[in-house]
Amino acid sequence: MHTKEQHSKQTKPIENDCFLRALNRQPVDRTPIWVMRQAGRYLPEYLKVRAQAGSFMNLCRTPELAAEVTLQPVNRFALDASIVFSDILVVADVMGCDLHFVEGEGPQMRKPIRSAADLKACVQPDVQETLSYVMDTIRLVKQGLNQRVPLIGFSGSPWTVACYAVEGSGSREFSVIKSMLYRDPALLHSILAAIQKVTAEYLLAQVEAGVDVLMIFDTWGSLLSPTLYQHFDLHYVRPIIAAIKAKAPHIPVIFFTKGGGLWLETQADLGCAALGLDWTVSLKDARARVGNRVALQGNLDPSALLGSPESIEQAVQAVLADFGPGNGHIFNLGHGIQKETPPEHLQHCIEAVHRYSPAYHQGV
Amino acid sequence: MHTKEQHSKQTKPIENDCFLRALNRQPVDRTPIWVMRQAGRYLPEYLKVRAQAGSFMNLCRTPELAAEVTLQPVNRFALDASIVFSDILVVADVMGCDLHFVEGEGPQMRKPIRSAADLKACVQPDVQETLSYVMDTIRLVKQGLNQRVPLIGFSGSPWTVACYAVEGSGSREFSVIKSMLYRDPALLHSILAAIQKVTAEYLLAQVEAGVDVLMIFDTWGSLLSPTLYQHFDLHYVRPIIAAIKAKAPHIPVIFFTKGGGLWLETQADLGCAALGLDWTVSLKDARARVGNRVALQGNLDPSALLGSPESIEQAVQAVLADFGPGNGHIFNLGHGIQKETPPEHLQHCIEAVHRYSPAYHQGV
């Protein structure tokens, strides 16, 4: 293990900066690509380390192993960014929800936050201390990357973290938090404010530890109406982005509401560098709607990687053509890569981006 | 049991026609209201009949009981429409998938359609015969309603029925059918065409049995990209609506893609009378986008009915204000009513629609 000082100061510039340039809507030779959950169950080398760790949370909490799986996809594939291996719910965990993962059932909180008393019992954690395993992972990854590509740190949106913290688990309709929203909105606002505070500190701690980019995953914003999305979701994202802009103005932030394609205009006003898009949105339409305010990241259907090499190539071409010529596109999937995906299919996808995207960057 | 002839010819006009008038964008005194799954588990009288039936499918297949639960909500509440109690998956069942419901797990197909051989083994059912229990239910309900309010018949969209027929059950990502879409699109097109044919016949049989309105539920269209939504979903809905327009031009059709708010313009060109909307869409925006082509049905968040009487009243007012003054709005939830909903909360909702909607219809 190395000390913070050794790794937080990188003097060497990042070698492959096309992801950073695209985030800033600057010219690039080709469209950069990384994929959500690129370190994950579709990779045999991941499964090996995951088995060694015993549990998903042990893997997250063991910096050497978390760093190893973070580096696996960038070592195997020509990806243009790395993303820290962790989970959005570690924030709820250190607030006192006691997170664990049940095989085949997903995340479970032993102590969900369902009342004012539950909230009062929550910890105001020192994230540098309680999430030191994430910071250690970041430092190890930065060392392992040796400035080859940028490293992305991340969190969930307060609304999305609250979905699990209040519900106690994943759910189709999240009826516990939705009930709370209508029955006791003041309580829910207090919970969201508490999560917001910890999330902002957590993201800034990741910057201090060495990440180059931040992403905020808003997986469950689409459970809300347009008005509630403003009041219970974006209202708690905006101050987080403002805090990052104030304290780490050089760090671009990507914001992604899964299923949030109806609300791109308002997302583009959050102050982030880029918006993530799922595959239900046309990149062309999205671009017309957000103008030059933000870069766009996405949006290949993850299921497309289950097709034949030819169909993958066609699907990649369709995404590139949909965005069209110009700057500010980061190729990605519209959601996490599926565990059934053959790794060589991701390889086809990356090669297709390398083959077909340069044409969209000539003379622009 | 009564014969077809006795019930298919209703000479008395429908007493409360505000739902039909709204579907045709004609003036009404107040906004009509019905709610998806209004015959369902939130009603104690439903649970009693459900227990008597033994299983969900037995309830569907026993016309006297299915008619009884269909009538329960219109007998209890001042609803402006009735909807036949059945399931969208009976179409897959009579094609040979062998549908059953597992308690707490939802629909299961004993024989999913996953190959050309599976498709070949499918039956081309005579829906009048194999789904005679639905037609008998419709005739009994029409008798029980005695023209108080219109009766809605329904089906799933071919894509949505295929999601279950191919997958074999519900799913978060429906990765079996999504894989098939990319790996063997020709096979999936054949499956969809087969389901389309049966669905069109089924809906026309419901018209013959006496329904006044038809609704097509497209629960899973939002799994698709904009292009795939055209090719694998709407492509198979359009001929169904055309067949209804040709053979039963007096029957208005409502089309509802859950999560399809990005694609309203193209839905409005299907030839249907109305579009269903979930609560992620602003009715005001939707109205601006579809113009006078269709009426709009929706879109209160079902979770809003878990709030206090005051918050329900406010939420209803917000929906009415969002649509604003004018014709062509049918009040509904944005998805099925939740089983945790206290029945008196639906009563509050209906009363609020009665109280606040007339102001939006004065002088328009």
Side-chain angles (χ1 to χ4, degrees):
Chain A
M1 192 73 53
H2 299 263
T3 65
K4 193 191 292 181
E5 287 65 31
Q6 279 180 281
H7 296 287
S8 58
K9 289 170 194 160
Q10 298 280 358
T11 46
K12 198 166 104 175
I14 288 173
E15 287 167 27
N16 172 355
D17 66 350
C18 70
F19 172 54
L20 297 176
R21 295 184 62 82
L23 280 170
N24 292 314
R25 304 187 303 292
Q26 292 166 339
V28 288
D29 294 332
R30 60 168 179 77
T31 306
I33 172 172
W34 70 279
V35 308
M36 290 187 276
R37 300 219 179 135
Q38 62 190 24
R41 291 176 292 173
Y42 72 107
L43 285 179
E45 59 266 37
Y46 168 87
L47 294 174
K48 220 166 146 182
V49 179
R50 170 72 180 72
Q52 195 185 332
S55 75
F56 178 82
M57 282 311 295
N58 268 357
L59 179 49
C60 293
R61 289 186 183 125
T62 310
E64 290 76 11
L65 300 182
E68 186 178 344
V69 297
T70 300
L71 291 168
Q72 285 171 345
V74 286
N75 290 340
R76 185 196 261 253
F77 304 112
L79 292 161
D80 299 306
S82 182
I83 180 162
V84 181
F85 184 84
S86 186
D87 191 88
I88 59 166
L89 298 182
V90 296
V91 163
D93 185 52
V94 297
M95 289 176 73
C97 291
D98 197 356
L99 170 69
H100 64 295
F101 282 77
V102 179
E103 208 62 48
E105 285 184 41
Q108 307 269 342
M109 306 289 177
R110 287 196 185 86
K111 296 180 186 169
I113 311 172
R114 294 186 173 174
S115 65
D118 289 343
L119 179 60
K120 212 174 165 190
C122 277
V123 185
Q124 294 219 352
D126 175 344
V127 291
Q128 290 280 10
E129 192 185 309
T130 55
L131 291 170
S132 62
Y133 59 84
V134 178
M135 312 314 153
D136 288 338
T137 300
I138 289 169
R139 288 185 280 266
L140 288 173
V141 171
K142 283 297 285 184
Q143 188 180 31
L145 285 174
N146 192 26
Q147 300 293 80
R148 274 180 288 165
V149 292
L151 177 61
I152 307 166
F154 70 93
S155 76
S157 69
W159 165 256
T160 292
V161 173
C163 279
Y164 294 92
V166 171
E167 201 81 19
S169 67
S171 164
R172 182 159 292 187
E173 291 176 341
F174 285 94
S175 54
V176 180
I177 190 170
K178 291 292 295 288
S179 300
M180 183 188 286
L181 189 158
Y182 287 102
R183 280 184 193 149
D184 195 351
L187 172 61
L188 183 53
H189 279 300
S190 302
I191 294 170
L192 290 164
I195 297 173
Q196 175 206 306
K197 186 170 178 295
V198 181
T199 302
E201 289 168 6
Y202 176 48
L203 289 173
L204 286 166
Q206 292 184 57
V207 171
E208 205 179 310
V211 301
D212 306 292
V213 173
L214 289 170
M215 179 154 171
I216 300 174
F217 289 90
D218 181 36
T219 315
W220 293 113
S222 66
L223 293 171
L224 298 167
S225 71
T227 307
L228 298 180
Y229 179 66
Q230 293 291 341
H231 295 331
F232 289 88
D233 193 334
L234 296 192
H235 182 73
Y236 296 94
V237 171
R238 199 169 280 114
I240 294 173
I241 294 176
I244 296 161
K245 285 196 114 154
K247 293 183 185 163
H250 58 295
I251 299 290
V253 180
I254 307 166
F255 179 69
F256 175 41
T257 296
K258 175 83 169 33
L262 280 163
W263 310 318
L264 298 181
E265 291 84 350
T266 181
Q267 291 167 25
D269 282 334
L270 281 172
C272 52
L275 296 180
L277 299 177
D278 66 39
W279 62 96
T280 63
V281 189
S282 150
L283 283 166
K284 187 182 170 196
D285 293 350
R287 217 178 154 183
R289 287 165 58 196
V290 303
N292 285 321
R293 286 180 288 168
V294 287
L296 296 175
Q297 175 175 285
N299 68 348
L300 183 68
D301 180 356
S303 299
L305 294 187
L306 304 176
S308 64
E310 295 70 33
S311 76
I312 292 169
E313 191 165 307
Q314 283 169 13
V316 168
Q317 287 179 282
V319 169
L320 293 170
D322 193 18
F323 188 89
N327 303 318
H329 181 211
I330 299 129
F331 197 100
N332 205 316
L333 304 180
H335 197 49
I337 188 168
Q338 293 177 10
K339 67 177 195 293
E340 300 82 3
T341 311
E344 62 272 24
H345 284 202
L346 177 54
Q347 182 65 34
H348 295 314
C349 172
I350 295 167
E351 284 168 7
V353 172
H354 288 186
R355 188 173 312 126
Y356 297 106
S357 73
Y360 293 98
H361 298 282
Q362 279 163 7
V364 289
Chain B
M1 191 74 49
H2 301 263
T3 65
K4 194 191 292 182
E5 288 65 33
Q6 280 180 282
H7 296 288
S8 59
K9 289 169 194 160
Q10 298 279 355
T11 46
K12 198 165 104 174
I14 288 173
E15 287 167 26
N16 172 355
D17 67 348
C18 70
F19 172 54
L20 296 176
R21 295 183 62 83
L23 280 170
N24 291 314
R25 304 187 305 290
Q26 293 167 338
V28 288
D29 294 332
R30 60 168 179 76
T31 306
I33 172 173
W34 69 278
V35 307
M36 290 188 275
R37 302 220 177 133
Q38 61 190 24
R41 291 177 293 173
Y42 73 106
L43 285 179
E45 59 266 38
Y46 168 86
L47 294 174
K48 220 166 146 181
V49 179
R50 171 71 180 72
Q52 195 185 332
S55 75
F56 177 82
M57 281 312 294
N58 268 357
L59 179 49
C60 293
R61 288 187 184 126
T62 310
E64 290 76 10
L65 298 183
E68 186 179 343
V69 298
T70 301
L71 291 168
Q72 285 171 345
V74 286
N75 290 339
R76 185 195 261 253
F77 303 112
L79 292 161
D80 299 306
S82 182
I83 180 162
V84 181
F85 184 83
S86 186
D87 192 88
I88 59 166
L89 298 181
V90 296
V91 164
D93 185 53
V94 297
M95 289 177 72
C97 291
D98 197 357
L99 170 68
H100 64 295
F101 282 76
V102 178
E103 208 60 49
E105 286 184 39
Q108 306 269 342
M109 306 289 177
R110 286 197 187 86
K111 297 179 186 170
I113 311 173
R114 293 187 174 174
S115 66
D118 290 343
L119 179 60
K120 213 175 164 188
C122 277
V123 185
Q124 295 219 352
D126 175 344
V127 291
Q128 291 280 11
E129 191 185 309
T130 55
L131 291 170
S132 62
Y133 60 85
V134 178
M135 312 314 154
D136 289 337
T137 300
I138 290 169
R139 288 185 279 267
L140 288 173
V141 171
K142 283 298 285 184
Q143 189 181 28
L145 284 175
N146 192 26
Q147 299 294 79
R148 273 181 288 165
V149 292
L151 176 62
I152 307 166
F154 70 92
S155 76
S157 68
W159 164 257
T160 292
V161 173
C163 280
Y164 294 92
V166 172
E167 200 82 18
S169 66
S171 164
R172 181 160 292 188
E173 290 175 343
F174 285 94
S175 54
V176 180
I177 190 169
K178 290 293 295 286
S179 300
M180 183 188 286
L181 190 158
Y182 287 102
R183 279 184 194 152
D184 194 350
L187 173 60
L188 184 53
H189 279 300
S190 302
I191 295 170
L192 290 165
I195 297 173
Q196 174 207 307
K197 185 169 177 295
V198 181
T199 302
E201 289 168 6
Y202 177 47
L203 289 173
L204 286 166
Q206 292 184 57
V207 171
E208 204 179 309
V211 301
D212 306 292
V213 174
L214 289 170
M215 180 154 170
I216 299 173
F217 289 90
D218 181 36
T219 316
W220 293 112
S222 66
L223 293 171
L224 298 167
S225 71
T227 307
L228 298 179
Y229 178 66
Q230 294 292 341
H231 295 331
F232 289 88
D233 193 334
L234 296 192
H235 181 74
Y236 296 94
V237 172
R238 199 169 281 114
I240 294 173
I241 294 176
I244 296 162
K245 285 196 115 154
K247 293 182 185 165
H250 57 294
I251 299 290
V253 180
I254 308 166
F255 179 69
F256 174 42
T257 296
K258 175 82 170 27
L262 279 164
W263 309 319
L264 298 182
E265 291 85 351
T266 182
Q267 291 166 26
D269 282 334
L270 281 171
C272 52
L275 296 179
L277 299 177
D278 66 39
W279 62 96
T280 63
V281 190
S282 150
L283 284 167
K284 188 182 169 196
D285 293 351
R287 217 177 154 182
R289 286 165 59 196
V290 302
N292 286 320
R293 286 180 287 168
V294 287
L296 296 174
Q297 175 174 285
N299 68 348
L300 183 68
D301 180 356
S303 299
L305 294 188
L306 304 175
S308 64
E310 295 70 33
S311 76
I312 293 170
E313 190 164 308
Q314 284 168 14
V316 168
Q317 287 179 282
V319 169
L320 293 171
D322 193 17
F323 188 89
N327 304 318
H329 181 212
I330 299 128
F331 198 99
N332 205 316
L333 303 181
H335 198 47
I337 188 168
Q338 294 178 9
K339 67 176 196 295
E340 300 83 4
T341 311
E344 62 272 24
H345 285 202
L346 177 53
Q347 181 65 33
H348 295 315
C349 171
I350 295 167
E351 284 168 7
V353 172
H354 288 186
R355 187 173 312 125
Y356 296 106
S357 73
Y360 292 98
H361 298 284
Q362 279 162 8
V364 289

